Amino acid sequence: MNKKLKLDILRTPRILRSENKNDCKDISSTSKYFDNEDLPPKKTEKKKRTPIKIKYEELKDATDSKDSEVKVENLQDEIIKKERNIKDKWVPSNWETVLENVKEMRKYKTAPVDEMGCHKCTDPKATAKVARYQSLIALMLSSQTKDQVTHAAMQRLIAYGGTPEIIAGTPDHVLGKLIYPVGFWKRKVEYIKRTTTILIDKYDGDIPKTLKELCQLPGVGPKMGHICMQIAWGEVSGIGVDTHVHRICNRLGWVKKTTKTPEDTRIAVEEWLPKELWSQVNYLLVGFGQEICLPRFPKCNECLNKDICPFSAKSGMKK
């Protein structure tokens, strides 16, 4: 071997060790003395291409267009039917004028219901829950009873205690003396005791929040339920129809056919009277019935509706 080549070979490792490591390269990949055939080939990264989205227009079949035409025709038929129902809906004549006249006659609020109605029978110092209970009890007492008598009985109950817990623990004979002389006072003692027990056990001394639950209580009917929902919860669930409202609605012709019961009257009037007026009917007509449209010997001559009232025309009481 050439002496000079031999010296170069021996000198090579020293040169590599003496140089900076950062500057060193892998000699296996650069030197001609290493065989690179066994090394795996380097992978080249392929650039990802963003896919091209192609939108195709949907072709509408003839059947789709026919279906849409049928739907449009059905909608038009429904609109026509609703319009016919509105036109065919029975509404008493002059009812708006009659109602305005009743409001005019009631504007001074001089009827017993104005000062002694069930909404005036609660203890002003009571909590909201106790006041709701007292409203319900007042409504139970008011059935077949004048407002003056109901109000006086409630004042005695409030003075005695007037809470569900106290009433539940009151002996029947004592409770009877407190509510006497309301109509059917013996039966109402039983209803009040049973209802109060249910309220304590099931509603923590409060009253139910739904009309259905209220009407399930002993001695509570639809009229009481609707009025109680309005007084206690501020919710209008229906028209409270008592004997006054029942009588006057029939006299004014506010029912298509003569109704026999207050509940029948409620259903008949609610069919045509706008719902936003439901809350006014009981209060207005009860006072009107107490002062002018009396059960016996109504004061038709003093009524502003005497010229348009069917009852006044039939009875010949207008002048």
Side-chain angles (χ1 to χ4, degrees):
M1 180 182 292
N2 191 344
K3 188 176 182 180
K4 185 178 181 180
L5 178 62
K6 186 177 181 180
L7 290 172
D8 291 338
I9 293 170
L10 293 172
R11 196 181 293 118
T12 300
R14 294 179 184 176
I15 295 171
L16 292 173
R17 285 195 298 271
S18 64
E19 291 177 354
N20 191 346
K21 292 181 180 181
N22 294 330
D23 296 332
C24 292
K25 296 181 180 179
D26 186 4
I27 60 174
S28 63
S29 61
T30 57
S31 175
K32 61 182 179 179
Y33 299 105
F34 289 88
D35 188 4
N36 295 328
E37 292 180 357
D38 296 334
L39 295 175
K42 292 184 178 180
K43 294 182 180 180
T44 57
E45 294 183 358
K46 294 182 180 180
K47 293 183 179 180
K48 294 182 179 180
R49 295 182 179 180
T50 55
I52 300 173
K53 294 182 180 180
I54 301 174
K55 293 183 179 180
Y56 296 94
E57 292 184 358
E58 295 181 0
L59 297 176
K60 293 184 178 180
D61 296 334
T63 54
D64 294 338
S65 60
K66 289 181 180 179
D67 291 340
S68 61
E69 289 176 1
V70 171
K71 290 180 180 179
V72 171
E73 289 178 0
N74 291 338
L75 287 173
Q76 290 175 346
D77 291 340
E78 289 179 6
I79 293 170
I80 292 170
K81 286 179 181 179
K82 287 181 180 179
E83 289 177 350
R84 286 177 181 174
N85 290 335
I86 293 171
K87 290 179 181 179
D88 296 339
K89 184 178 179 180
W90 179 86
V91 177
S93 59
N94 301 321
W95 72 269
E96 292 173 306
T97 303
V98 170
L99 185 60
E100 288 302 316
N101 287 338
V102 172
K103 289 181 180 180
E104 178 65 23
M105 290 182 281
R106 292 278 291 114
K107 68 179 181 180
Y108 296 111
K109 299 181 179 180
T110 54
V113 69
D114 296 315
E115 294 298 330
M116 291 174 282
C118 293
H119 62 293
K120 294 284 188 177
C121 288
T122 60
D123 183 3
K125 298 179 182 179
T127 63
K129 185 164 74 171
V130 172
R132 288 192 289 268
Y133 169 75
Q134 292 175 356
S135 296
L136 178 60
I137 298 301
L139 284 163
M140 294 174 70
L141 295 177
S142 69
S143 177
Q144 303 295 319
T145 306
K146 292 183 178 181
D147 287 333
Q148 299 91 320
V149 178
T150 301
H151 188 270
M154 282 303 301
Q155 295 307 304
R156 291 192 293 271
L157 283 176
I158 291 170
Y160 183 79
T163 64
E165 293 75 16
I166 291 176
I167 298 300
T170 302
D172 290 359
H173 70 280
V174 175
L175 184 58
K177 290 180 179 179
L178 290 171
I179 67 172
Y180 181 84
V182 299
F184 305 100
W185 63 273
K186 291 183 180 180
R187 188 182 302 172
K188 289 177 181 178
V189 167
E190 179 188 350
Y191 288 155
I192 290 172
K193 293 295 289 292
R194 287 170 56 194
T195 293
T196 302
T197 301
I198 293 172
L199 296 180
I200 293 173
D201 295 342
K202 192 174 180 180
Y203 300 98
D204 191 29
D206 208 339
I207 67 172
K209 292 184 178 181
T210 65
L211 177 68
K212 182 179 179 180
E213 291 176 296
L214 279 171
C215 292
Q216 289 174 349
L217 297 172
V220 179
K223 184 262 293 188
M224 299 179 198
H226 288 302
I227 298 176
C228 190
M229 287 295 294
Q230 185 175 340
I231 295 175
W233 297 112
E235 182 179 332
V236 180
S237 58
I239 300 173
V241 179
D242 64 354
T243 55
H244 291 292
V245 179
H246 172 60
R247 177 182 72 255
I248 294 169
C249 285
N250 276 272
R251 285 181 176 179
L252 293 175
W254 278 14
V255 290
K256 190 174 182 179
K257 295 180 181 179
T258 302
T259 52
K260 295 182 179 180
T261 66
E263 184 62 10
D264 291 338
T265 300
R266 179 189 68 80
I267 295 170
V269 175
E270 286 182 359
E271 286 182 355
W272 62 266
L273 186 69
K275 191 172 183 179
E276 58 267 21
L277 298 175
W278 289 6
S279 62
Q280 304 177 27
V281 173
N282 181 271
Y283 178 73
L284 288 172
L285 295 189
V286 168
F288 178 58
Q290 290 175 339
E291 292 188 309
I292 296 177
C293 198
L294 304 172
R296 297 179 62 190
F297 309 112
K299 301 176 183 179
C300 294
N301 294 333
E302 300 178 18
C303 181
L304 297 178
N305 291 316
K306 62 183 178 182
D307 294 327
I308 55 177
C309 175
F311 177 79
S312 178
K314 288 180 181 179
S315 61
M317 299 185 72
K318 67 175 182 177
K319 290 183 180 180

